[in-house]
Every structure is written in structure tokens, then in C-alpha cells.
């Protein structure tokens, strides 16, 4: 019989992870145990680990699972790199800057490497492979995300005197299932439903770093959702690079929308989010499901990348501007307002002023609630790297600033219209100095608010908006 445990930070010893992107200060760390009766291959008497993570939510969640693998095998969580026996650097290689950071960080660890296992995991590990040993000989483990299930054997090999181990297989059919997941966010639990990516966008390293698409059996997803609800979670975020390409490999053969509805029906789960949706697999049924299922959050992240059909073609995104806008029209026709956010790349090779202008006008045409914009970065093994007509860095930066400026105006206008409205907020932060609480609406907007109450962390409260800023709302609790 599988049971669930809710473990607080005290019983897990010390925080063992530095997570850069989300910055959720863990006041409670929940470890949720999938199968505590599984045979424990404990090989680490009194040893400890530390994981430092960069990258997207998938990387952040991988770190939670890798931490679980170590805990399940008797390791304890170290508070600092200096005191850890195993130090893992969970890397991202989506843009050149992220990749450069890895080697400068590894350089800084050189002096601390003695007597430790230093490992590089994640997307740059997969991309650079053996070369990492050349550039940083104090590293003894290199492992990409598609090989994480082999981590215990790899560490055991090193502990038995092995010098270097690598896990770089990409052709696996399997997904990464763990006995324990050591969760860093006490309120929002990540659940992977699909790994890898079968698209081949011409600028992107992900298909090379995470391998082909593999969906998890629906029962594994649903039982994880039930365990999370038992452990006290009310919000789940389903993850995948193309989350809406999900296809249940089990005999139930659920589609993405059916899975969404079943996760939303798990008792105790009040909010279900999902990211990232690919426009090509975005169907009207997703909007219908959100419209008819209160637990499905009214927010869709739908990366467009460019507003120019010509550039979308060169990017191999498989849709045109008009096809994308048609999908947006389904979202806008929903009965409840659904917020839409996106990713945009500026300065793709050959992007003319006119192409760029189309990205800017698309912002107005859609009315996004948030845009993550990036300057194009040429990446190894991608088609775009060999394309002519590179845009100079200074021009890319100029375009980025123009786009961000326009989006800021749009957000000011949109948020101003919300003054006077009331939102349900799941409280995740207390700003003691400002005497404010903060949390997210189901549409994923940040709401800062005042309240006469104390200890609101983890509560759902109603907040009335009194003031709007471009990136957040300000209000007061409705008592
Ligand atoms: N799977 C998601 C995107 C994952 S990567 C999707 O298909 O939309 C996250 C974002 O990084 C992308 O949406 C894109 O905007 C950006 N990105 C990816 N490769 C990039 C590159 N070479 N240069 C700049 N930005 C890039
Ligand atoms: Fe990269 Fe495209 Fe796959 Fe997204 S869909 S991960 S951008 S290849
Ligand atoms: Fe980075 Fe890999 Fe995610 S390249 S964005 S960590 S999938």
C-alpha cells in the first residue's frame, strides 16, 4: 500500500537547494513519498548533497525529483556547497548566456572539489557531454535529464572508486519516476506529464537536450495528484515543454483535455495550471474545459515567438500569425475572462523592421497579460545557427526594449481596468516591511494586499483591487 507523508523542513534537516528562477523562499518543504515501502538501496551513511538549479520550471522540478532520489538513498540535505559530499549543478542551455554561466560557476567550485563528487546535470550536461570533463576536470559526473533514473547507479559507481560517469542516453521510452519528491514550493506542486519535445523549432536546443517526447501514463499522474492532495497541496501545475501534446501511453488513452478534467476532479485540488502549451496542439476543447471546470485556472501561456508569418516559417513553428490569432479568438470567446501570456524572440536571423513591427502589433491584437521576451541567441546543433542575415546585437537589444515598452503600456491599460474587481488570491508571501500580503489570482496575476489578519500564508482570500501597476495589482482583503 502506498502512503503519503507531509514532512516539514525540521524533519528534513536543512534546505539543500538553491533555486534561481522562481525564488520561492521555502518556509515549509514538503516531501511527498510515492512508495515508502519500496526497497531502499541506501548506500550513503551520513552523506549529504546540494543541488544548484538554473532554467525553466521543468528543470526546477527535476531538481526536486533528484533531491528525492538522494533522500531515498539515505543522503541528507546539506545547507551549503562546502559541507556537501555530492554537489550537483542543474544547468540550462537555452541561450548562450545561460551556458556561459555554467563554466564560470564550475570554475568557482574548483577549489572546493577535493573529496566531493561534483556533477553537472540538466540541459548543458546533455549538450556538452564529455567536453565538460575536459573543461572542468574536477567534475566526475555528467548526466542529462533523460538518464536521471540511472543516477543512483552512477553515484554508487563513483563511491566504489569510479573516476568518471556519464548518462547521456536520449533514446529512452521511459519517464523519470521517483520514490520521493522533495518539493521546494509548499503551495504549488509541479507534476510532469510529458517529457522531451518532438518539434524542431529551428532556434531551439530542447529536442537535443531533453530528447524525444514521452508522456507519463495517466494513472501515474493521477495518483501523484491524489498524493499531493493528501499531503495538503491545493494547487498543481502540470508540466511539459509541449504540455498539450500529451497522449496517454496506457490503455486508458486519455487525451490532454481528459487528463486536465480528471486532475481537476481530484478531491482537495482547487487550482490546476499547465505549462507550456504549443499553439499547434492548442484546440478549442481546452478553452471549453477551462470554461466548464472551476478548478482549471483562467490562464494560458501560449508562446507565439514572432508576429510575422514569414519568421514563424523560418522558425519552423508550424502555424501562421492568423492561425495563432484564431486560437486567441477562441480564448476571448470564453464565458470567463482568461489571461494569456506568451514568449517572443526578437532579432531572429533575417527579421526585418517590418517583421519586427508585426511582433509589436501582435501584442496589441492579443492583449497579453505578460510577455517573456528574449533576444535571439544562436545555439549549437540548431538550423537557425547557420542561417544568413544575423541581426547585430545592438539592434536586437533595441528591438527588445521597444517590444517590452509597448507591452508595459498594454499591461498598465489592462491592469487599470481591474481596479474595483475582486479576486480570490492564494497567499504565498508576507512583506512584513510593507505590511502587505501577496499571492496569485487564478489568472496568475500578482496581488499585493493589506489585511487585518495574521498568518495568511497558504490561505485563499478575497482581495479587492484598489490600484494597478504594470506587473502587479494592489488591494485590500474583503472581510
Ligand atoms: N516549449 C516551449 C518553449 C521552451 S523554451 C515552446 O515551444 O514555446 C522557453 C523560451 O525560450 C521559448 O519560448 C523561446 O521564446 C525562448 N528561446 C528558446 N530558444 C531560444 C534561443 N535560441 N534564443 C532566444 N530565445 C530562445
Ligand atoms: Fe523548443 Fe520548439 Fe520544442 Fe518548444 S516546441 S521546446 S521551442 S523545439
Ligand atoms: Fe533551459 Fe533545458 Fe529548460 S535548456 S529552458 S532547462 S528545457
Amino acid at each position: 500500500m502506498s502512503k503519503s507523508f507531509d514532512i516539514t523542513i525540521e524533519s528534513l534537516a536543512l534546505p539543500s537547494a538553491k533555486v534561481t528562477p522562481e525564488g520561492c523562499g521555502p518556509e515549509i518543504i514538503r516531501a511527498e513519498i510515492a512508495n515508502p515501502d519500496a526497497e531502499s538501496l541506501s548506500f550513503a551513511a551520513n552523506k549529504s548533497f546540494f543541488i544548484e538549479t538554473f532554467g525553466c520550471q521543468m528543470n526546477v522540478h527535476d531538481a526536486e525529483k533528484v533531491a528525492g532520489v538522494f533522500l531515498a538513498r539515505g543522503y541528507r540535505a546539506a545547507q551549503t556547497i562546502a559541507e556537501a559530499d555530492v554537489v550537483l549543478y542543474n544547468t540550462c542551455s537555452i541561450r548562450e548566456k545561460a551556458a556561459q554561466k555554467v563554466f564560470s560557476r564550475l570554475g568557482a567550485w574548483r577549489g572546493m572539489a577535493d573529496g566531493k563528487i561534483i556533477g553537472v546535470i540538466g540541459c548543458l550536461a546533455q549538450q556538452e557531454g564529455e567536453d565538460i570533463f575536459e573543461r572542468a576536470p574536477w567534475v566526475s559526473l555528467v548526466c542529462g535529464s533523460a538518464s536521471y533514473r540511472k543516477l543512483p547507479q552512477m553515484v554508487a559507481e563513483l563511491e566504489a572508486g569510479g573516476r568518471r560517469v556519464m548518462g547521456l542516453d536520449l533514446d529512452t521510452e521511459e519517464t523519470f519516476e521517483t520514490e520521493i519528491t522533495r518539493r521546494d514550493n509548499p503551495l504549488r506542486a509541479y507534476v510532469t506529464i510529458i517529457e522531451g519535445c518532438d518539434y524542431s523549432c529551428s532556434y531551439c536546443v530542447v529536442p537535443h537536450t531533453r530528447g524525444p517526447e514521452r508522456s507519463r501514463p495517466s494513472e501515474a499522474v493521477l495518483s501523484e495528484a491524489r498524493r499531493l492532495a493528501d499531503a495538503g497541496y491545493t494547487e498543481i501545475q502540470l508540466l511539459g515543454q509541449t504540455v498539450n501534446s500529451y497522449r496517454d501511453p496506457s490503455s486508458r488513452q486519455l487525451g490532454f483535455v481528459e487528463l486536465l478534467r480528471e486532475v481537476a476532479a481530484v478531491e482537495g485540488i482547487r487550482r490546476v495550471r499547465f505549462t507550456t502549451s504549443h499553439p499547434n496542439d492548442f484546440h478549442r476543447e481546452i478553452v471549453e474545459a477551462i470554461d466548464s471546470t472551476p478548478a482549471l485556472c483562467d490562464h494560458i501561456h501560449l508562446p507565439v515567438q514572432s508576429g510575422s508569418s514569414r519568421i514563424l516559417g523560418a522558425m519552423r513553428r508550424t502555424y501562421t500569425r492568423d492561425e495563432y490569432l484564431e486560437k486567441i479568438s477562441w480564448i476571448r470567446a470564453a464565458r470567463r475572462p482568461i489571461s494569456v501570456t506568451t514568449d517572443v524572440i526578437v532579432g531572429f536571423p533575417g527579421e526585418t523592421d517590418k517583421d519586427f513591427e508585426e511582433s509589436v502589433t501582435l501584442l496589441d491584437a492579443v492583449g497579453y497579460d505578460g510577455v517573456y521576451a528574449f533576444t535571439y541567441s544562436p545555439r549549437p546543433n540548431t538550423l537557425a545557427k547557420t542561417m544568413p542575415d544575423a541581426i547585430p546585437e545592438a539592434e536586437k537589444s533595441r528591438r527588445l526594449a521597444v517590444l517590452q515598452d509597448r507591452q508595459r503600456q498594454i499591461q498598465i491599460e489592462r491592469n487599470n481596468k481591474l481596479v474595483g474587481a475582486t479576486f480570490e488570491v492564494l497567499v504565498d508571501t508576507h512583506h512584513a516591511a510593507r505590511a502587505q500580503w501577496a499571492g496569485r489570482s487564478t489568472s496568475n496575476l500578482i496581488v499585493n494586499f493589506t489585511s487585518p489578519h495574521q498568518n495568511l500564508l497558504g490561505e485563499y482570500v478575497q482581495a479587492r483591487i484598489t490600484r494597478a501597476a504594470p506587473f502587479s495589482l494592489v488591494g485590500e482583503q474583503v472581510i
Side-chain angles (χ1 to χ4, degrees), residues 94-95 203 241 276 303 305 317 343 345 374-375 377 379:
I94 199 80
R95 285 168 288 275
Y203 52 81
Q241 279 298 348
T276 293
Q305 313 300 358
R317 281 296 283 184
D343 296 347
I345 297 176
F374 311 97
T375 55
S377 168
R379 305 304 296 126

Side-chain angles (χ1 to χ4, degrees), residues 25 119 244 399:
N244 54 332
R399 290 181 190 181

